[in-house]
Amino acid sequence: MHRYNFKIALRNLLKHPGYSFVNIAGLAVGIMVSFMIYLYIDFETSFDEFYPNQKRIFRVAAHYNVGGQEDDYCNVPRPMAPAFKVDYPEVEAFTRMRGVNGLTQHRAILNYDENYVESSQIFVVDSTFFDVFQQPLIEGNPKTCLAQPTSLVLSESLAETIFGDQPAIGQLIKLENRLENFEVTGIFKDLPENTHMPYDALVSWNNYYPPGSNNSWFGRHVYSYVLLDSPEKSQQLIAKFPDFFDKYMAETFEQINGEASLILQPLNSIHLNSSMVWEAYQNGNKATIYIFSAVAFFLLIIAIINYVNLTTARAATRAKEVGVRKAIGAGKTSIAWQFLAESILVATGAFLLALLSGFLLSPIFSELLGFNLNTEFIASGSILRLLLLSLGIGIVSGWYPSLVLSAYKASEVLKGRYVQNVKGAGLRKGLVLIQLTTSVFVIIGTLIVLSQVSYLRDKDLGFNKENVLVAHLRDTSLQRKIKPVINKLNELPQVKNVASSFNLLHNELNHTIVNAEQSDGTYNQLGCQFMIVDKNMFDLLEMQISQGRNFNSNSEADLSNALMVNEAAVKKFGWGSDPIRKKVHFGENPDGEIEYLNTIGVVKDFNLGSLHFGVEPILIFPADLNQSGGPWLFVKLESTNLNLALEEVQKAINDFQPKVPSEYQFMSQDFMGLYAKEQNLIDMLGYFSIVVITLSCLGLLGLVSFTTTQKSKEIAIRKVLGARVPNLVLKVSGSFIVLTIISNILAWPLAFWVMSGWLDNFAYRIEIETLHFILAAAVSLLIVVLTIANHSIRVALASPVKSLKDE
């Protein structure tokens, strides 16, 4: 019986190849894109779950309120985690991590036998690292491999890159900016992609830092992790923290007018729930997961709606088939099974097409989603899940059409007529309304995201970043001879200006506490950021000095006790309209004396980093290039032939240090990288818009086909009675125009609410304008008109004889 049903179903599909392809393709697109999104969501929600004890690992974070400056830090002072282990028995183990060249600076060059290999994932860690992050080592003992000073543990792939086929254990490696050799004492398997803290080289903490540097209870932050004996104990630790603070930290924080509270982040929650100060890597976004989940859900719903509408649209062509089969004894159940078998065949075809297109398009999706989909997609478990999803959708999609088609009365259809179910027509219109509403919502969302990102790109940051090359000088010896380097670069005809800096302008600056002079002569402790640059930076970036003057590099007084501030600092410090000559200090020095710094200039506010955040108060100190420059050189280039200028700059710098390569990046690219998430969201919404609109058009096409079939006799009679073609076209298409208008009415408030919440993530944002909604309405109406035009005009022009000949 079932074999017979599938045989007939296959014949019907082959008999109408165009209809079958549209049905199968519509389902396949919805299934494939939704499944790709599912794999992405599965990946994003599985971060750090590969560690066997991940539920008991917590990152130690803190909320600081220092001088009125409130921040959440994903890192804490160095002594905190070791003190937790001593004071709290529920802490089984701890480890600390810090970038090899600074907290967030985990990029360095490894040198073995004149072979220079760069890695961006090198961290200094405690010897207890593998007690917390338990993972097997290919070679070495996890208990002892990091115990000795100058120990180094490498990932399998990095060891192979450095040593090739040679044994790695026991080999000595030079590490960038370090004098000593480091011995390879262990090899671990490469980490999966889904970790918030990727690393491929670990350096022993033992003796890496100067004595005494690990005892500060403010500043000198590190990423700290604790392994608890039970996940539930995290709340107990948080409850005990006030006593811990009083015991260890209160004295230090009283000096800086500060308070702190403990935050313990479960390891597997960090990727989607953390965006704190000084994150080592950019984390994911839970809002994006919600958006993609909604898109996947609606894509599946739209694909199902398409199948229902396209199948019921062919009701007239299948009605006589049902009538004949009922007349010769077929029951309602057997006919329903017949159509259900057809939908299962369609779903199977959709599965095969989705599988093939998934293989072909996985590189594009991998680039858009930011992880390698190929491995996930070809996994046997994934293919099985895709098959089950396809068959499930086939059954759900075929259920309603099978009930509708099997319910036709043989006596009616064999006479050439059957009565349209008003309820069914309303349901079909409701389904198309859902599709159109989703399409309008996606169009509005895409337009708003595009407008916001364009606004971020074009907003005046307070400086000119165009044609500015940023060179990262990797070798400290090169930084110490920075003046000859700058002089050499200034001789190049392609170079307009050069400045040295200890800070990148698209990264989080260091935070500090300063005592700022008040109008009554007292000093108030306030939190702010600081940066160190040479005086050329302001001219190079075309920053405006609104009051006072620039640094004088020939003035000893300027180099030793002068500073500049931005306007936000003037406002926060309460300096009013006369900030020049106001003093600040950082407390007593080791000799018990206070060294005052004089404010000599005010720089107009400029935005550092992402425009998700507003302008912070900043102290600006002069770099003394006679001693040493910073690790970054900013080079302003002539706008013509930037590639040639880049080559000349690289050659000039390499003449001073040919062995350790410097890094080069244009400043504009650095800033665009801050909005990679938003750009990916634009790309994804763009593709989703195409898919959603295409599927919605298929569903609309099905409803138009169904409606025109039902109204063919009515239109023929109107035509005989003298109705003109434009009136007939309007008669056919009018209800669809109304549906489109209703879909806009439904989508507008929902889109406004959702997108307003998304825009609230930015300190600088656009206002949602009426134009966004008008454009969406215009686009949706145009799409509907183009979709239904062919059917409407064809029915209006058809000869009335064809529809009335059997009346």
Side-chain angles (χ1 to χ4, degrees), residues 120-166:
S120 61
Q121 300 175 1
I122 307 179
F123 291 87
V124 183
V125 300
D126 284 297
S127 60
T128 54
F129 181 84
F130 292 111
D131 293 339
V132 177
F133 295 101
Q134 296 172 3
Q135 57 175 314
L137 264 63
I138 300 172
E139 296 182 71
N141 186 337
K143 295 290 185 183
T144 61
C145 61
L146 289 166
Q148 297 301 315
T150 67
S151 300
L152 177 67
V153 181
L154 302 176
S155 69
E156 186 177 15
S157 60
L158 184 58
E160 184 178 346
T161 301
I162 296 172
F163 302 107
D165 296 333
Q166 299 180 51

Side-chain angles (χ1 to χ4, degrees), residues 489-510:
L489 291 175
N490 278 322
E491 293 174 1
L492 298 177
Q494 300 90 349
V495 173
K496 297 173 70 174
N497 205 343
V498 184
S500 175
S501 173
F502 286 79
N503 306 90
L504 280 175
L505 298 191
H506 68 279
N507 279 1
E508 182 83 29
L509 293 178
N510 287 321

Side-chain angles (χ1 to χ4, degrees), residues 27-79:
L27 272 181
V29 169
I31 290 170
M32 185 266 293
V33 176
S34 299
F35 191 71
M36 291 291 191
I37 294 174
Y38 159 75
L39 291 178
Y40 168 73
I41 293 172
D42 186 57
F43 172 79
E44 286 287 294
T45 54
S46 66
F47 267 57
D48 296 305
E49 290 183 354
F50 58 88
Y51 290 114
N53 52 352
Q54 49 92 11
K55 290 187 178 179
R56 297 193 291 128
I57 301 174
F58 292 81
R59 185 170 73 176
V60 184
H63 175 81
Y64 283 178
N65 182 347
V66 180
Q69 176 80 26
E70 295 196 42
D71 293 292
D72 288 334
Y73 290 86
C74 62
N75 30 70
V76 293
R78 296 185 188 185

Side-chain angles (χ1 to χ4, degrees), residues 38 76 84 105 119 188 252 321 360 549 606 704 714 727 793 795:
Y38 159 75
V76 293
F84 274 9
Q105 303 302 315
S119 168
F188 59 87
T252 301
E321 173 191 340
L360 297 176
R549 62 176 176 83
F606 52 93
V704 172
E714 176 190 342
N727 292 332
I793 294 172
V795 170

Side-chain angles (χ1 to χ4, degrees), residues 465-695:
K465 63 182 183 295
E466 298 305 317
N467 302 328
V468 176
L469 180 69
V470 182
H472 184 194
L473 307 181
R474 309 297 300 275
D475 197 320
T476 53
S477 64
L478 186 59
Q479 297 168 27
R480 285 192 291 269
K481 52 188 175 186
I482 194 68
K483 289 192 80 171
V485 175
I486 291 176
N487 292 336
K488 178 70 173 176
L489 291 175
N490 278 322
E491 293 174 1
L492 298 177
Q494 300 90 349
V495 173
K496 297 173 70 174
N497 205 343
V498 184
S500 175
S501 173
F502 286 79
N503 306 90
L504 280 175
L505 298 191
H506 68 279
N507 279 1
E508 182 83 29
L509 293 178
N510 287 321
H511 291 225
T512 189
I513 305 300
V514 66
N515 299 282
E517 182 182 4
Q518 302 300 295
S519 57
D520 59 0
T522 61
Y523 285 82
N524 191 16
Q525 286 185 330
L526 297 165
C528 59
Q529 298 180 346
F530 71 91
M531 59 190 295
I532 305 172
V533 298
D534 83 49
K535 71 180 188 65
N536 289 334
M537 185 64 76
F538 305 106
D539 290 335
L540 185 146
L541 294 178
E542 300 175 22
M543 292 178 172
Q544 296 184 37
I545 299 176
S546 57
Q547 296 184 63
R549 62 176 176 83
N550 196 351
F551 297 116
N552 182 351
S553 57
N554 296 319
S555 168
E556 185 63 33
D558 275 14
L559 294 176
S560 61
N561 64 5
L563 83 156
M564 300 174 69
V565 296
N566 67 344
E567 293 174 331
V570 172
K571 183 178 180 181
K572 182 169 184 176
F573 296 168
W575 284 349
S577 60
D578 187 23
I580 305 304
R581 291 180 294 278
K582 286 290 192 296
K583 291 182 172 57
V584 303
H585 70 84
F586 293 95
E588 295 181 352
N589 62 22
D591 298 327
E593 299 176 349
I594 294 178
E595 298 177 358
Y596 294 94
L597 302 175
N598 297 306
T599 304
I600 64 168
V602 177
V603 182
K604 281 204 166 192
D605 279 341
F606 52 93
N607 289 94
L608 294 178
S610 168
L611 292 177
H612 289 83
F613 311 102
V615 176
E616 295 281 348
I618 301 172
L619 306 180
I620 306 170
F621 301 104
D624 186 355
L625 302 188
N626 295 315
Q627 300 293 326
S628 176
W632 285 277
L633 271 184
F634 288 70
V635 185
K636 181 76 170 182
L637 303 175
E638 296 286 354
S639 58
T640 56
N641 205 339
L642 291 177
N643 289 331
L644 175 62
L646 173 58
E647 291 176 6
E648 292 297 320
V649 170
Q650 288 176 316
K651 183 177 181 300
I653 293 177
N654 288 339
D655 287 342
F656 288 90
Q657 181 50 269
K659 288 188 176 181
V660 181
S662 298
E663 290 181 303
Y664 302 89
Q665 185 82 4
F666 281 99
M667 197 174 182
S668 55
Q669 294 174 330
D670 288 333
F671 272 84
M672 282 315 303
L674 297 172
Y675 310 110
K677 286 182 183 178
E678 286 73 26
Q679 187 58 55
N680 282 342
L681 187 58
I682 288 177
D683 295 338
M684 292 299 294
L685 285 175
Y687 283 104
F688 290 156
S689 298
I690 294 171
V691 172
V692 168
I693 290 170
T694 302
L695 292 180

Side-chain angles (χ1 to χ4, degrees), residues 226-277:
V226 292
L227 176 67
L228 305 184
D229 56 16
S230 169
E232 293 77 21
K233 299 290 182 66
S234 62
Q235 293 305 313
Q236 294 182 18
L237 249 65
I238 292 174
K240 293 177 180 179
F241 185 73
D243 292 335
F244 182 94
F245 180 84
D246 290 340
K247 179 179 179 180
Y248 294 105
M249 306 173 69
E251 183 179 350
T252 301
F253 273 71
E254 283 174 5
Q255 297 173 9
I256 58 174
N257 187 27
E259 298 175 348
S261 57
L262 179 66
I263 301 170
L264 288 179
Q265 298 177 284
L267 183 68
N268 57 10
S269 74
I270 293 173
H271 177 66
L272 290 178
N273 297 283
S274 185
S275 182
M276 297 185 177
V277 175

